[in-house]
Amino acid sequence: MKNSLNNMQKLKAVAAKLTATAFLTALFTIAPLQTAFAQAAPSLGTAQTFAVLGGSTVTNTGPTIVVGDLGVSPGTAITGFPPGTVTGGTIHAADAVALQAQADTTAAYIDLAGRACDTTFGVPTDLAGMTLVPGVYCFSSSAALTGSLTLDGGGNADAVWIFKVDSTLITGSNSSVLLINGGQQCNDFWQVGSSATLGTGTKFVGNILALTSISLLTNTTISGRALARNGAVTMDTNTVSFAACVAPPVTPIPPTIGKAFSPATITAGGISTLTLTLNNANDTIASLNSPLVDNLPTGAVVAPTPNASNTCGGTVMADAGSSSVTLTGGAIPANGSCTVSVDVTAANAGNFINSIGAGDLKTDKGNNTAPAVATLTVTTPAPSPTPTPTPSPTPTPTPSPTPTPSPTPSPTPTPTPIPTPSPTPTPTPKPSPSPTPTPAPVVAPTLTKAFSPTTINMGATSLLTLTLHNSGSTVDRLTAPLVDQFPLDVIISGNASNTCGGVVTAVKGSSKITLTGGSIPAKGSCTVTVVVTTTDCDGPHVNTVPVGALQTNNGHNPVAAVATLTIVNPPGAITPRVFKTFVPTAIKPNGISTLIIYLINHATVAAPLTAPLVDNLPAGVVVFGNGSTTCGGTLTAIKGSSNITLTGGSIPANSQCHIQADVTASALGQFLNTIGAGTLHTTTGINAVGTVSTLTVSNSAGIPPKIAKAFNPTIINSGGTSNLTITLSNPNSTVATLTAPFTDTFPSGIIVAGGASTTCGGTLTAVAGSSHITLTGGAIPANGSCKITLTIAATPTCKGVRTNTLVYGILQTNKGANTVQASANITVN
């Protein structure tokens, strides 16, 4: 510390003694600042993952935070951790990893030292107040910084600054390095021929590669790296986070679309399968932001049995007899494709040309630039040949003989005729009656479900499989949609598959999957699968499909299907997380929804943001206003703009904060809003898991419903009971129909005792001894309300206050979802 102050004093003394000639010489030398040449960043090799690397020792005092790897080599001593912490990396003390990182640091140091200078400072120079363009800046002596240095990237994300300092680098208290116009922390390099000392409170940006030592005084922060080749790295209550380059924005490649009929030729009234193939050549998914409509040519219609299928997600509308096929929502996989297929027919002969125009496929990666065309040829069936009848032979007549005349005889008396007896009739045998066949017994279907794996780290994925079973001898056909509503914080992260037929709706980022139509084979089964993930919340997540959810022509499932997905936070994982939602999730065109983004910090220290957090809204959605934040910093949410930005701010320790702003959209459709992994940068790391939320714009959207709940009495003894009443209210002038199962999961120690009933209609599942109830179907009257009532009990070991909460969004209706949560407390003595 004393040497650092002496060096600073010497620097100021030299600067004060500059003669006019020396000043002009320095000024002349600095003149090329605006014409620096482009440079390539050196490779750091394995040192890329290190935030701190010492040669002899690494020492620390105070609660320093190192984001990235920390190591020493060839020395062995690392002290001061704890109280210092390392997150997002590992400590390497004189191991093979640290040895290789030192070798790679030396290689990078030599590379930097050999770069040709664009600008040379011939005397000790203070960089305070300068704005420098990319280039190589050389210092024949020492470099100092007693204020702010600005590095201007000029709009080039690949801009590189290299500072070659022959002697020492010293910064004064509260100095700073600022990057503007696209400059990146990862591309700022300081090759120091001696030692580097960053003064108290310095906010430094860049990668320091020093020949000897690096000293970080109290409360100094580095967004970059401190890499000392031979000496020590000394820290005191600092934050050092390694900087990774953010890939420059990539111009998205518009999607393409193809189509085909199979077979391409049918007879009138025959069936052909129309397949639309959506292609995406980008490295990220292409989300549809407007319905894709294929209007069939006049005379062609969807077949009586559509057999619609879809691998794109979203919802396919293809009604029998209709003249169009519509895909709403969904996404095309990265570097892949997906398909929509449906059976079609035509009653009359002809060539039916089916076209989807350029621009009809609208995604966040652009629109298709070329049309898709396919022709269905319909022929008239050949007439059946009319059989030629075989003529019957004409019989030859036998001539009658000519009678010989006889003499007239004398009359003979006429005898009395003897009657001929009538023949006895032969009785007609009576057929034996055929036995009436015994109808096959009607067997109700069953439903099971499972997660694989059953335990995952937060943000990882699991495959959810729903298996529909039919033990009867006839096919079970679904007569109502089968809906699986996931527990809180479980969402869809991948495409769904289905062996049951029908249409599966599984929107990425949503919290439910729906099978509409389809059938279960006789004495067999079929499956619906989807990949799910979590947004937050450790612990078990119980996923239940209630009794009666699987409706078929042979009955419904008599037993609920239950599976548990357990979420664990990996040891040492304290990187921040982000979660977002729209409230309400559905609005009318030009309606208002509030977008809420939660920033979550599980670390024991606050997590200041080290880079702006930007949420780019999907095309068609814009900011309406009323932006606010509880995170501090500066929130930019300009009315009419398509993004929301938080600059600065901090997430409290072991807590969360949020950003919110009202948004609107004028077009109908489903709008997927995504914040990707690596978007939230803090001193404790970056988010490893992204978040997705969907805003639906529909003419049927209404005023969101409301929920209220209450216990009576509110105080009971262990083993005692109380009556729970849940009231669902609808402020709309038309009925609000439930579109997903409504589930109330009780706090620990509270279970169903019995007496459940509802005035909402639908099916209420409340199994005695279980810890939740579910209402499937039903409706809330216009401008009215309905109730669910039941008796709950406290288990014998339950003590204390229990809070029962229904979170926002839990009540899903055709008028939207509840925007305010409902809670009620019960005290158990």
Side-chain angles (χ1 to χ4, degrees):
M1 179 69 181
K2 183 176 180 181
N3 289 337
S4 300
L5 294 176
N6 288 338
N7 287 334
M8 183 64 75
Q9 291 169 353
K10 291 177 182 178
L11 176 67
K12 291 182 177 179
V14 171
K17 294 179 181 179
L18 282 174
T19 63
T21 302
F23 176 78
L24 291 174
T25 301
L27 184 62
F28 177 80
T29 308
I30 294 172
L33 287 181
Q34 301 304 318
T35 58
F37 300 101
Q39 293 287 328
S43 171
L44 294 176
T46 59
Q48 180 78 20
T49 63
F50 280 78
V52 175
L53 180 63
S56 58
T57 61
V58 173
T59 60
N60 171 63
T61 302
T64 289
I65 298 173
V66 175
V67 181
D69 289 339
L70 179 149
V72 64
S73 181
T76 60
I78 297 177
T79 60
F81 291 87
T85 59
V86 175
T87 182
T90 305
I91 296 177
H92 298 278
D95 61 9
V97 176
L99 179 63
Q100 184 60 50
Q102 272 292 4
D104 291 340
T105 297
T106 299
Y109 183 94
I110 293 172
D111 179 1
L112 292 169
R115 300 291 180 101
C117 302
D118 294 325
T119 301
T120 300
F121 297 92
V123 295
T125 306
D126 186 351
L127 297 173
M130 292 188 183
T131 297
L132 302 181
V133 297
V136 180
Y137 298 91
C138 300
F139 299 79
S140 300
S141 180
S142 60
L145 178 62
T146 59
S148 294
L149 167 64
T150 301
L151 306 181
D152 187 347
N156 180 11
D158 294 325
V160 174
W161 293 264
I162 296 174
F163 297 90
K164 296 170 53 177
V165 183
D166 277 1
S167 181
T168 58
L169 168 65
I170 302 173
T171 71
S173 297
N174 301 314
S175 299
S176 62
V177 178
L178 306 175
L179 287 165
I180 63 173
N181 294 329
Q184 298 200 67
Q185 303 162 355
C186 60
N187 287 331
D188 175 16
F189 297 90
W190 299 73
Q191 179 255 323
V192 180
S194 178
S195 63
T197 301
L198 304 188
T200 301
T202 293
K203 291 180 173 56
F204 194 84
V205 171
N207 304 280
I208 301 175
L209 288 75
L211 181 62
T212 56
S213 63
I214 301 174
S215 297
L216 309 182
L217 304 188
T218 307
N219 293 326
T220 287
T221 65
I222 296 182
S223 294
R225 294 170 181 82
L227 310 176
R229 289 181 55 194
N230 303 319
V233 177
T234 304
M235 294 178 283
D236 179 6
T237 314
N238 309 124
T239 298
V240 184
S241 55
F242 74 94
C245 279
V246 177
V250 177
T251 301
I253 304 169
T256 60
I257 186 169
K259 67 187 319 182
F261 291 100
S262 179
T265 301
I266 60 173
T267 57
I271 301 296
S272 179
T273 300
L274 168 63
T275 301
L276 308 179
T277 303
L278 284 57
N279 306 294
N280 173 25
N282 295 279
D283 292 333
T284 55
I285 64 169
S287 299
L288 274 70
N289 49 35
S290 183
L292 170 63
V293 181
D294 183 7
N295 292 306
L296 302 178
T298 302
V301 296
V302 176
T305 302
N307 291 322
S309 64
N310 166 32
T311 65
C312 302
T315 302
V316 172
M317 295 295 295
D319 296 330
S322 68
S323 59
S324 66
V325 178
T326 302
L327 172 64
T328 302
I332 317 172
N335 293 309
S337 61
C338 62
T339 59
V340 176
S341 62
V342 64
D343 288 350
V344 299
T345 188
N348 301 311
N351 289 320
F352 297 88
I353 301 174
N354 185 202
S355 298
I356 290 181
D360 285 351
L361 173 57
K362 297 179 173 61
T363 75
D364 59 353
K365 301 296 187 293
N367 307 335
N368 63 306
T369 58
V373 181
T375 301
L376 176 64
T377 300
V378 181
T379 61
T380 302
S384 302
T386 303
T388 303
T390 303
S392 301
T394 304
T396 303
T398 303
S400 302
T402 304
T404 302
S406 301
T408 303
S410 300
T412 303
T414 303
T416 302
I418 299 171
T420 303
S422 300
T424 302
T426 303
T428 303
K430 295 181 179 179
S432 301
S434 300
T436 302
T438 303
V442 176
V443 182
T446 58
L447 179 66
T448 59
K449 68 185 313 182
F451 290 100
S452 179
T454 57
T455 300
I456 60 174
N457 289 336
M458 197 171 299
T461 60
S462 179
L463 181 68
L464 169 62
T465 301
L466 300 174
T467 305
L468 287 60
H469 305 272
N470 174 16
S471 58
S473 56
T474 59
V475 173
D476 284 347
R477 301 189 185 282
L478 273 69
T479 57
L482 169 64
V483 180
D484 183 5
Q485 180 71 46
F486 304 153
L488 185 66
D489 297 317
V490 176
I491 60 172
I492 292 172
S493 68
N495 288 334
S497 63
N498 165 33
T499 64
C500 301
V503 177
V504 171
T505 304
V507 179
K508 187 174 182 180
S510 71
S511 59
K512 68 178 179 180
I513 183 171
T514 303
L515 172 64
T516 304
S519 60
I520 318 170
K523 295 188 180 298
S525 63
C526 62
T527 59
V528 178
T529 61
V530 66
V531 178
V532 300
T533 188
T534 60
T535 56
D536 194 34
C537 193
D538 306 347
H541 292 64
V542 180
N543 185 199
T544 301
V545 178
V547 172
L550 173 57
Q551 300 277 346
T552 75
N553 58 320
N554 288 324
H556 62 261
N557 60 306
V559 179
V562 182
T564 300
L565 178 63
T566 301
I567 314 301
V568 297
N569 208 11
I574 57 172
T575 53
R577 292 199 298 279
V578 59
F579 172 73
K580 70 188 314 180
T581 187
F582 290 100
V583 181
T585 57
I587 59 173
K588 292 181 180 293
N590 300 311
I592 304 298
S593 179
T594 300
L595 171 60
I596 307 174
I597 305 170
Y598 293 91
L599 311 184
I600 304 159
N601 175 23
H602 288 284
T604 57
V605 295
L609 274 66
T610 59
L613 171 65
V614 181
D615 181 14
N616 293 307
L617 302 177
V621 178
V622 296
V623 175
F624 184 80
N626 298 323
S628 64
T629 179
T630 62
C631 303
T634 302
L635 181 65
T636 304
I638 301 171
K639 186 173 183 178
S641 68
S642 58
N643 59 64
I644 298 169
T645 302
L646 176 64
T647 304
S650 179
I651 316 172
N654 285 317
S655 188
Q656 65 181 26
C657 60
H658 70 267
I659 304 162
Q660 70 179 54
D662 290 344
V663 298
T664 187
S666 58
L668 299 176
Q670 290 182 312
F671 299 89
L672 276 67
N673 187 201
T674 302
I675 292 180
T679 304
L680 173 60
H681 292 253
T682 75
T683 56
T684 60
I686 61 177
N687 65 305
V689 181
T691 180
V692 180
S693 188
T694 301
L695 175 65
T696 300
V697 181
S698 167
N699 287 322
S700 63
I703 305 171
K706 298 178 180 180
I707 309 175
K709 67 187 316 182
F711 291 103
N712 184 25
T714 58
I715 301 175
I716 61 176
N717 294 323
S718 296
T721 62
S722 177
N723 295 319
L724 171 61
T725 301
I726 303 171
T727 303
L728 312 182
S729 301
N730 172 24
N732 295 277
S733 57
T734 55
V735 170
T737 303
L738 273 67
T739 57
F742 168 66
T743 299
D744 184 8
T745 301
F746 305 146
S748 61
I750 303 299
I751 59 175
V752 176
S757 64
T758 180
T759 62
C760 302
T763 301
L764 180 62
T765 304
V767 179
S770 69
S771 60
H772 66 274
I773 61 167
T774 300
L775 175 64
T776 304
I780 315 171
N783 295 313
S785 63
C786 61
K787 297 181 184 294
I788 300 170
T789 58
L790 71 151
T791 302
I792 58 93
T795 59
T797 58
C798 179
K799 297 285 187 182
V801 177
R802 295 292 188 268
T803 301
N804 185 197
T805 300
L806 290 165
V807 299
Y808 61 84
I810 193 69
L811 175 58
Q812 301 278 342
T813 75
N814 62 334
K815 305 301 182 187
N818 62 299
T819 59
V820 179
Q821 69 180 24
S823 295
N825 292 336
I826 186 167
T827 302
V828 183
N829 294 325

